[in-house]
Amino acid sequence: MRNRFDRLAKDIAQEGLTPIGKVVTNAEVVGDAQHADVWYEPDPARASGRERLGLLGRLAATACTIEAYSDTPSADEARACVEKHLALWRSCTARNREAGPPFLWVLSTGRPTAVLDGLRAEPMAGWPAGVYEGPSLLRAAVVVLGELPRVRSTVLIRLMGGGRVLREAIEDFRQLPKDAPERAIALGPLLRFRAEVEQRGPATPEEEEFVMTTEELVEQFIEQGRTQGIAQGAIALYEARFGPMPPSLRSAVEAMRDLPTLRTWLVLAGTGTREEVHDALSTAPPGRSS
């Protein structure tokens, strides 16, 4: 990844797309020393799950590479994306000649004029403003995040941008209903990234702004736990991200009476990996009193 905000974009894509297909981040390109940000292969049996992702779900209709830029890629950077895309395409064809050709999506926060001109890209028919398609033979498109309509269906993909685009997306994200699927998908990556920035210290004014912009998200997260009951909130967050919680772990959460431990588990359920949650719950002393 090119910078820390591009890492956030990768994490949101992984969180959203994993339930509906196979996702490989930093996918190695065969015969090339480079890596693709995100390589995705859809699972037809889980296709209905794409609807909850809005525009991100439309991108995931076919196997694809997603290259996300929190700034604006240069022509050289876009050319490298196309080279990786073609190499992955050849690799897919070699493995399975019956597989449909993959697509390349380049996500750019700003308008990459040189890239759009170089690809002879035109507005993509039937898609929102800000989506541009290159030559059909190439199967590549550019999504200018700053030109997308500011509506709910674009929230997840706008969270993969930077600067003003990310700030506005976070504002819109905060206004979503408490049970919105977008919350279960993006809240963990946003809070994990915030914790990383705070731990290392903001390196840029943009990172300082991100910490301030997401402060209300942290407060909402804690308040949601109070409203639902911290134990039930932790279970609900776990199941929104990973599916049904194993009975043994659910019993451990429901039996826990130590408030600091429950708060730690609540945060972990929203930000940690499945393995981290399981390890924490499995090794904790049973039912400590508060």
Side-chain angles (χ1 to χ4, degrees):
M1 301 301 291
R2 292 157 292 274
N3 62 47
R4 283 154 74 172
F5 280 97
D6 293 335
R7 172 63 182 270
L8 172 62
K10 182 190 72 171
D11 286 350
I12 290 175
Q14 182 176 20
E15 194 83 19
L17 298 176
T18 296
I20 58 171
K22 177 184 177 182
V23 179
V24 179
T25 57
N26 295 331
E28 184 175 357
V29 179
V30 177
D32 197 316
Q34 294 180 311
H35 295 78
D37 286 356
V38 175
W39 168 251
Y40 166 77
E41 296 178 56
D43 180 350
R46 294 180 281 172
S48 60
R50 292 195 296 112
E51 295 181 5
R52 69 183 189 135
L53 304 180
L55 184 59
L56 178 60
R58 291 189 67 182
L59 269 59
T62 63
C64 62
T65 300
I66 299 175
E67 300 278 3
Y69 290 83
S70 59
D71 46 19
T72 303
S74 66
D76 285 342
E77 288 174 316
R79 188 178 301 111
C81 291
V82 172
E83 291 172 353
K84 289 185 285 185
H85 164 59
L86 295 177
L88 284 167
W89 190 340
R90 289 194 297 271
S91 176
C92 290
T93 302
R95 293 199 314 266
N96 183 2
R97 292 186 176 278
E98 297 182 358
F103 211 90
L104 167 65
W105 297 98
V106 178
L107 311 186
S108 171
T109 293
R111 181 179 177 84
T113 302
V115 176
L116 295 174
D117 290 346
L119 289 174
R120 299 287 196 272
E122 299 290 340
M124 199 165 178
W127 288 69
V131 183
Y132 299 87
E133 185 175 20
S136 58
L137 187 65
L138 197 57
R139 290 185 62 79
V142 177
V143 183
V144 183
L145 304 180
E147 296 181 4
L148 291 175
R150 194 173 169 181
V151 295
R152 178 172 174 175
S153 63
T154 67
V155 166
L156 282 179
I157 201 165
R158 286 186 287 119
L159 286 171
M160 298 166 70
R164 173 188 59 82
V165 171
L166 177 58
R167 181 176 66 252
E168 292 179 350
I170 291 173
E171 292 173 0
D172 297 340
F173 182 80
R174 289 202 305 256
Q175 303 305 316
L176 292 174
K178 292 181 179 179
D179 60 350
E182 296 94 335
R183 283 186 172 274
I185 292 166
L187 184 59
L190 286 167
L191 295 183
R192 283 196 299 272
F193 183 66
R194 186 182 194 276
E196 177 187 336
V197 171
E198 286 191 307
Q199 181 178 11
R200 298 183 181 180
T204 64
E206 187 177 16
E207 291 184 355
E208 292 179 359
E209 181 182 52
F210 176 81
V211 170
M212 291 186 293
T213 304
T214 52
E215 177 63 30
E216 188 174 330
L217 282 181
V218 176
E219 295 174 358
Q220 286 184 350
F221 181 68
I222 295 173
E223 183 60 30
Q224 179 181 351
R226 293 196 186 104
T227 301
Q228 293 180 334
I230 296 180
Q232 292 305 312
I235 292 171
L237 278 171
Y238 176 97
E239 294 190 337
R241 298 181 65 207
F242 306 121
M245 178 178 278
S248 61
L249 299 186
R250 175 184 283 270
S251 297
V253 175
E254 293 176 339
M256 179 56 64
R257 295 295 180 267
D258 184 65
L259 191 56
T261 298
L262 283 172
R263 285 175 174 162
T264 298
W265 288 355
L266 177 66
V267 174
L268 192 61
T271 63
T273 64
R274 185 197 300 265
E275 290 73 20
E276 289 171 339
V277 176
H278 285 209
D279 288 346
L281 271 59
S282 299
T283 59
R288 293 186 338 212
S289 60
S290 54

